[in-house]
């Protein structure tokens, strides 16, 4: 990919400090096997570089067209898909999702107790489309020892082999809600529910809907729910940082489950793709919902999505339950599928007004409307909170703007 930092309004020398930073602090000491970074401004690529290995065990260098597990960077794509149906007047944001998910008609909210001793109550309001789009629905990820999460495990709520979106949402509708819908924020299965709603409302499988309404119009040719055989040689390995700070291979690209079509199409975290493909998606966002003549979503709808929908103008510090997320809480709000930097001073970061998310393997992106900027960082390291890539890259990138 040809880059032109001066045309994009960057100091080439300052922008190139990124290279030294990533090589010195991450690649050379082996903290990550490899990575890739793209920075574009005004639609002009200013920086694009691949580092290290995509597969350390086989000594395969990181390729410019490497395919990554993007995990929760699937969520903004799913949210855009659901909001396309909002634009068709198929639902209103405050409509109950039980309109399309009948098993959610009689949900209860956890009050106290565990197991057979659990006390629940009827919710003050039903779970709405706004709630599932903004992670304020009362759902969780079922990963702790809280009584609600134990109920998830008893009901077999999971996204693994053999599960489908239909069986998943039916089970989830029988689980108690962790809190009153709309009153708190918790990172959760909510965007998988959004994917199920896309299927129910459109009558199309989620993969087909994505392909027809988003991927093909944008030319995202390498983004899918699995890696086909002809692309396997471009698929990166995935690693986990061990307590002794070494890397352990946890998903071999030669034997990965991503080489087979899954039964569960996870709108919350199931996609793989390339940096180039995700740039196409981000450029569509930066340009207000359109790219190269393909209108994916209206600018007005996108503006609504990238405003914080947390009640009372509060940030996540006041409302978030649990520490598991792809964002810090201070000075950060949440819209319909994106985190939003509300206050740069409180957040302690640059880029106020940007919107963003990340993935479990430490992938990140952000779009900054004020600076007309897109940044995409790809690597394959779990867990995602191991290093503050977002904060470090923001310092390096914003300080290079001339």
């Amino acid at each position: 990919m040809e880059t032109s930092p001066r045309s994009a309004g960057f100091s080439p020398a300052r922008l190139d400090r990124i290279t030294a930073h990533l090589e010195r602090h991450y690649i050379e000491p082996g903290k990550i096997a490899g990575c890739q970074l793209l920075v574009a401004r005004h639609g002009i690529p200013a920086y694009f570089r691949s580092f290290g290995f995509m597969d350390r065990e086989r000594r395969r260098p990181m390729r410019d067209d490497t395919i990554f597990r993007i995990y929760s960077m699937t969520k903004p794509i799913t949210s855009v898909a659901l909001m396309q149906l909002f634009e068709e007047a198929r639902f209103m944001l405050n409509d109950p999702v039980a309109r399309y998910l009948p098993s959610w008609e009689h949900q209860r909210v956890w009050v106290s107790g565990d197991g057979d001793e659990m006390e629940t109550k009827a919710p003050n309001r039903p779970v709405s489309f706004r709630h599932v789009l903004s992670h304020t629905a009362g759902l969780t990820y079922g990963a702790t020892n809280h009584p609600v999460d134990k109920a998830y495990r008893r009901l077999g709520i999971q996204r693994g082999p053999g599960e489908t979106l239909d069986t998943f949402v039916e089970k989830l509708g029988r689980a108690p809600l962790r809190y009153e819908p709309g009153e708190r924020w918790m990172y959760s299965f909510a965007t998988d529910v959004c994917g199920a709603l896309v299927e129910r409302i459109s009558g199309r499988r989620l993969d087909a809907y994505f392909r027809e309404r988003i991927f093909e119009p944008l030319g995202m040719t390498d983004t899918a729910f699995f890696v086909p055989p002809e692309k396997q040689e471009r698929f990166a390995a995935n690693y986990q940082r061990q307590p002794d700070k070494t890397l352990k291979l946890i998903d071999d690209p030669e034997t990965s489950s991503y080489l087979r079509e899954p039964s569960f199409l996870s709108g919350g975290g199931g996609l793989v793709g390339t940096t180039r493909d995700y740039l196409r998606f981000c450029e569509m966002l930066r340009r207000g919902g359109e790219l190269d003549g393909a209108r994916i979503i209206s600018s007005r709808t996108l503006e609504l999505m990238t405003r914080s929908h947390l009640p009372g103008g509060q940030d996540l510090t006041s409302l978030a339950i649990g520490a598991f997320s792809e964002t810090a809480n201070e000075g950060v709000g949440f819209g319909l599928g994106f985190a939003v930097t509300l206050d740069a001073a409180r957040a302690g970061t640059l880029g106020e007004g940007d919107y963003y998310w990340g993935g479990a393997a430490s992938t990140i992106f952000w779009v900054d409307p004020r600076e007309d900027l897109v940044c995409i960082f790809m690597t394959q390291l779990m867990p995602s909170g191991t290093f503050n890539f977002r904060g470090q890259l923001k310092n390096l990138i914003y300080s290079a703007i001339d």
Side-chain angles (χ1 to χ4, degrees):
M1 183 183 298
E2 186 176 346
T3 61
S4 180
R6 288 201 183 280
S7 299
F10 287 96
S11 159
R14 280 179 161 262
L15 197 60
D16 205 47
R17 292 187 299 190
I18 296 169
T19 302
H21 177 81
L22 292 174
E23 287 180 341
R24 182 182 308 120
H25 296 289
Y26 293 102
I27 301 300
E28 291 172 5
K31 292 180 180 179
I32 58 176
C35 65
Q36 196 168 89
L37 175 67
L38 184 142
V39 181
R41 191 163 178 247
H42 312 313
I44 303 167
Y47 184 99
F48 179 61
R49 198 159 299 183
S50 300
F51 300 84
F53 295 102
M54 59 179 279
D55 184 338
R56 185 188 61 176
E57 284 63 34
R58 297 175 182 88
R59 310 301 287 179
R60 292 176 179 167
M62 184 68 71
R63 299 170 46 148
D64 289 354
D65 61 354
T66 295
I67 295 173
F68 301 90
R69 302 156 193 79
I70 66 170
Y71 289 120
S72 287
M73 278 168 53
T74 304
K75 287 180 168 72
I77 295 173
T78 304
S79 301
V80 166
L82 186 55
M83 290 301 286
Q84 287 177 324
L85 299 169
F86 167 83
E87 292 188 327
E88 296 173 8
R90 307 291 286 274
F91 66 88
M92 300 292 114
L93 283 181
N94 293 330
D95 286 349
V97 298
R99 176 180 166 193
Y100 289 99
L101 305 176
S103 65
W104 290 44
E105 283 279 4
H106 305 293
Q107 286 177 312
R108 307 280 293 178
V109 179
W110 176 82
V111 176
S112 63
D114 196 352
D116 293 339
E117 306 300 318
M118 182 181 291
E119 179 184 350
T120 63
K121 63 180 284 293
N124 294 334
R125 61 186 68 82
V127 173
S128 70
F129 283 83
R130 186 195 305 272
H131 296 148
V132 292
L133 281 159
S134 62
H135 290 285
T136 58
L139 306 177
T140 82
Y141 259 129
T144 74
N145 284 321
H146 189 276
V148 170
D149 289 357
K150 292 180 183 178
Y152 276 40
R153 293 193 283 276
R154 285 194 298 271
L155 289 166
I157 297 170
Q158 51 89 30
R159 301 182 291 181
E163 197 73 81
T164 67
L165 280 173
D166 284 341
T167 58
F168 174 80
V169 293
E170 193 280 327
K171 293 176 186 176
L172 200 54
R174 291 188 274 125
L177 298 172
R178 173 71 172 77
Y179 55 85
E180 286 284 355
E183 295 188 3
R184 303 297 296 271
W185 186 93
M186 191 171 191
Y187 200 37
S188 69
F189 285 129
T191 314
D192 287 300
V193 176
C194 291
L197 288 165
V198 170
E199 287 200 343
R200 294 286 176 94
I201 297 170
S202 70
R204 303 287 290 155
R205 268 182 40 136
L206 190 60
D207 53 355
Y209 185 96
F210 279 176
R211 185 172 59 252
E212 295 164 11
R213 297 288 301 271
I214 298 176
F215 299 158
E216 288 182 352
L218 291 178
M220 296 171 66
T221 56
D222 288 321
T223 305
F225 284 104
F226 70 103
V227 180
E230 66 272 18
K231 298 181 181 181
Q232 181 179 334
E233 66 177 10
R234 296 161 49 201
F235 189 34
N238 195 14
Y239 299 91
Q240 184 176 63
R241 184 172 166 89
Q242 300 294 96
D244 65 359
K245 300 183 180 180
T246 61
L247 294 180
K248 176 184 177 182
L249 178 67
I250 58 171
D251 191 25
D252 189 323
E254 298 284 341
T255 59
S256 174
S257 61
Y258 280 94
L259 301 178
R260 300 176 295 279
E261 185 174 358
S263 65
F264 186 86
L265 301 177
S266 173
L271 290 175
V272 297
T274 60
T275 298
R276 176 205 167 275
D277 273 14
Y278 215 82
L279 175 63
R280 299 288 294 174
F281 180 72
C282 288
E283 276 295 290
M284 175 274 295
L285 298 175
R286 182 190 68 83
R287 289 166 53 97
E290 174 273 338
L291 183 64
D292 295 341
R295 170 63 64 183
I296 302 301
I297 199 160
S298 79
S299 60
R300 304 318 192 268
T301 302
L302 186 58
E303 182 181 0
L304 177 65
M305 294 179 70
T306 55
R307 295 178 60 184
S308 182
H309 285 247
L310 300 181
Q314 300 177 83
D315 67 6
L316 291 177
T317 309
S318 307
L319 296 174
I321 299 175
F324 174 59
S325 177
E326 299 296 341
T327 182
N329 291 342
E330 293 81 8
V332 175
F334 203 87
L336 306 178
F338 305 90
V340 184
T341 304
L342 300 174
D343 186 326
R346 288 206 67 204
T349 187
L350 296 161
E352 187 169 300
D354 69 355
Y355 53 94
Y356 63 91
W357 205 238
S362 302
T363 60
I364 60 173
F365 85 95
W366 74 86
V367 178
D368 184 335
R370 299 184 187 183
E371 290 292 348
D372 208 25
L373 174 75
V374 166
C375 180
I376 301 163
F377 176 78
M378 297 288 201
T379 189
Q380 300 281 256
L381 176 72
M382 300 179 82
S384 61
T386 305
F387 302 113
N388 185 14
F389 289 119
R390 186 184 303 278
Q392 293 168 23
L393 289 172
K394 278 194 162 189
N395 289 0
L396 291 161
I397 292 166
Y398 283 87
S399 64
I401 295 174
D402 268 347

